[in-house]
Amino acid sequence: MTLKLSLSLSISLVLVVLFSIDTARAGYMEVTLLGTGTPKPSIDRFGPSTLIEANGRYFIFDSGRGVSIRLQQAGVALSKIENIFLTHLHSDHISGLSDLWLTSWIWQRQHPLQLTGPVGTLALSQHLELAHQADFSYRTKNTSLNSNFFPILAKEIVSEGIIYQHNGIKITAFLVNHYPVEPAYGYRIDSGEQSIVISGDTSFSENLIKHAKGADLLIHEVAAANSELLAGNPRLQKVISYHTTPKQAGKIFTATEPKAAVFNHVLLFGISERAVLEATRESFNGDVRMGHDLMKIGVGNELIFY
Ligand SMILES: [Zn+2]
Ligand SMILES: [Zn+2]
């Protein structure tokens, strides 16, 4: 009797442990910052792009310069990419798109590429297909490439809200402030208990704060210039004005309380990364880090930086 009782208790305990491991893993996501740069050509910071792996699926947010190379470096086969989401249509966020789309097709992608973004995404995909018709005809004549996987399945976001919900992964688009770029979106990715928010390009945004509350990880853009440079340069003042300064970022992080905040789209003029982090910490006591290309972050019950 006692033996039976203790056996059944042990089995229950094992089941409880297995169940909790399973639920902890269920929402687990892995982030790779593929590119943390801006329009400025840089060998260290490629164009903006973030990879999120969740539940065996790969999601790309923005497709800036060099995204295919960074995916290769991260050990992710291009053919695995199914979904790309664009925050807005500034060229630095889409200049790697043709490469990723066509090269993944050439490398035997077995499904069409889904592209979701603001109004204008449809025209972008149609024009890309037209621009690459010659390549399409060469490659479909002479190789075993499947012509059905060449067209881009483009979808435009008409209003903010849930734009993807499948296999326990929910992606929500929300409006940010990047005037005159309208609309410009940020994204929130929820998987089980875990959540990640990507700001896209934005100045201080109350709407971002609303959507980023309670997120585990906030990936946010930043822009800063040294005060002397800024004072004599109206063009630079304009550029900075539609991005987020370190001081503003600190306020956003304090209001949203992520487990960690990571900077991407790092746009700096005559100011060091260290100074940016120090300025942010004046209004934020939590964990804030400067992102770098190929930085990996595991988002589970805890955040793990690789
Ligand atoms: Zn940008
Ligand atoms: Zn932009």
Side-chain angles (χ1 to χ4, degrees):
M1 186 67 186
T2 321
L3 184 67
K4 263 188 185 172
L5 187 65
S6 86
L7 196 64
S8 92
L9 272 175
S10 314
I11 290 169
S12 318
L13 197 65
V14 167
L15 284 174
V16 166
V17 169
L18 283 177
F19 182 72
S20 37
I21 289 173
D22 202 44
T23 46
R25 278 185 187 155
Y28 179 79
M29 292 185 274
E30 198 156 86
V31 179
T32 307
L33 304 183
L34 297 170
T36 56
T38 64
K40 185 180 171 188
S42 160
I43 191 69
D44 299 316
R45 294 192 184 278
F46 280 13
S49 186
T50 302
L51 168 72
I52 295 183
E53 186 187 350
N55 231 343
R57 291 194 127 89
Y58 294 84
F59 303 89
I60 300 257
F61 296 85
D62 284 330
S63 187
R65 180 190 300 121
V67 56
S68 302
I69 295 172
R70 290 296 193 228
L71 278 169
Q72 187 79 10
Q73 286 178 294
V76 177
L78 300 187
S79 57
K80 285 185 178 174
I81 305 305
E82 286 177 81
N83 282 283
I84 301 177
F85 299 86
L86 302 176
T87 58
H88 63 299
L89 301 180
H90 260 154
S91 61
D92 54 317
H93 296 252
I94 55 177
S95 58
L97 183 58
S98 302
D99 186 17
L100 180 52
W101 159 54
L102 290 168
T103 311
S104 62
W105 179 55
I106 296 166
W107 284 93
Q108 304 292 329
R109 173 166 41 76
Q110 294 302 307
H111 48 264
L113 201 61
Q114 309 263 351
L115 181 69
T116 306
V119 172
T121 299
L122 211 54
L124 171 72
S125 68
Q126 287 164 348
H127 290 128
L128 281 178
E129 286 172 13
L130 274 176
H132 291 280
Q133 274 307 306
D135 188 49
F136 174 76
S137 69
Y138 310 143
R139 294 191 193 275
T140 47
K141 252 179 216 152
N142 218 347
T143 66
S144 59
L145 285 183
N146 189 326
S147 58
N148 293 326
F149 304 145
F150 174 84
I152 300 169
L153 297 183
K155 197 168 81 180
E156 291 184 344
I157 303 167
V158 284
S159 61
E160 55 178 12
I162 298 167
I163 48 155
Y164 178 97
Q165 197 158 21
H166 197 63
N167 269 348
I169 299 153
K170 183 173 81 177
I171 302 177
T172 307
F174 57 89
L175 288 163
V176 292
N177 301 333
H178 194 40
Y179 183 83
V181 183
E182 287 183 320
Y185 291 104
Y187 290 107
R188 178 179 174 121
I189 303 94
D190 287 281
S191 170
E193 300 279 290
Q194 274 67 54
S195 53
I196 300 165
V197 167
I198 298 171
S199 72
D201 285 12
T202 183
S203 53
F204 183 91
S205 163
E206 288 289 353
N207 199 38
L208 178 138
I209 291 175
K210 186 179 130 193
H211 286 274
K213 271 198 177 129
D216 294 285
L217 176 67
L218 175 52
I219 300 168
H220 204 289
E221 69 120 274
V222 69
N226 112 13
S227 49
E228 281 158 38
L229 271 181
L230 200 58
N233 193 333
R235 198 178 153 262
L236 189 55
Q237 289 165 16
K238 273 202 166 166
V239 170
I240 298 287
S241 76
Y242 76 166
H243 290 288
T244 303
T245 64
K247 201 173 165 184
Q248 290 170 330
K251 285 181 184 163
I252 293 164
F253 302 158
T254 297
T256 51
E257 295 185 306
K259 282 182 189 158
V262 174
F263 283 129
N264 74 345
H265 202 279
V266 183
L267 185 60
L268 306 183
F269 301 90
I271 188 166
S272 71
E273 294 181 359
R274 196 173 162 175
V276 167
L277 287 173
E278 279 169 9
T280 309
R281 288 182 182 128
E282 280 173 23
S283 48
F284 179 58
N285 290 327
D287 187 353
V288 55
R289 303 174 191 225
M290 188 56 69
H292 58 79
D293 286 21
L294 296 174
M295 178 189 250
K296 266 193 173 197
I297 309 151
V299 181
N301 290 337
E302 302 294 324
L303 297 189
I304 303 163
F305 285 82
Y306 299 101

